[in-house]
Amino acid sequence: DHLYWTQESFEPVFKLDSVWHWSGEWKEVAILEKIAVSVPLTVYNLEVDIYKTYFANGDAVHNLKPLPTDEIA
């Protein structure tokens, strides 16, 4: 439920067909497949000062409270 930058706003990744990736310049990268994970996974929630926005592996993401499950499905 991380929010990704779309060049206009941050949106939940499950609503997107592509994301903007930084590797020296901005490039739009297509999302080829979305997989629902039904087993517990270890995830990390980074806390950053003030804006809660950071780059994860070249992708601009934003921390926000988790989205309600009915919005994800």
Side-chain angles (χ1 to χ4, degrees):
D1 53 348
H2 275 292
L3 301 179
Y4 275 69
W5 181 246
T6 66
Q7 288 208 335
E8 294 178 11
S9 62
F10 282 97
E11 297 292 336
V13 71
F14 66 87
K15 292 184 176 183
L16 302 177
D17 295 322
S18 63
V19 294
W20 287 90
H21 180 82
W22 176 262
S23 60
E25 64 182 351
W26 285 107
K27 293 182 181 180
E28 188 173 16
V29 179
I31 296 174
L32 301 177
E33 183 177 23
K34 297 177 186 178
I35 301 171
V37 178
S38 60
V39 295
L41 296 173
T42 300
V43 296
Y44 299 93
N45 189 20
L46 301 177
E47 292 275 336
V48 293
D49 261 347
I50 304 172
Y51 298 108
K52 310 293 186 219
T53 301
Y54 57 93
F55 284 90
N57 200 31
D59 299 324
V61 295
H62 185 81
N63 269 352
L64 191 63
K65 63 184 177 184
L67 295 170
T69 305
D70 62 335
E71 284 191 38
I72 296 173

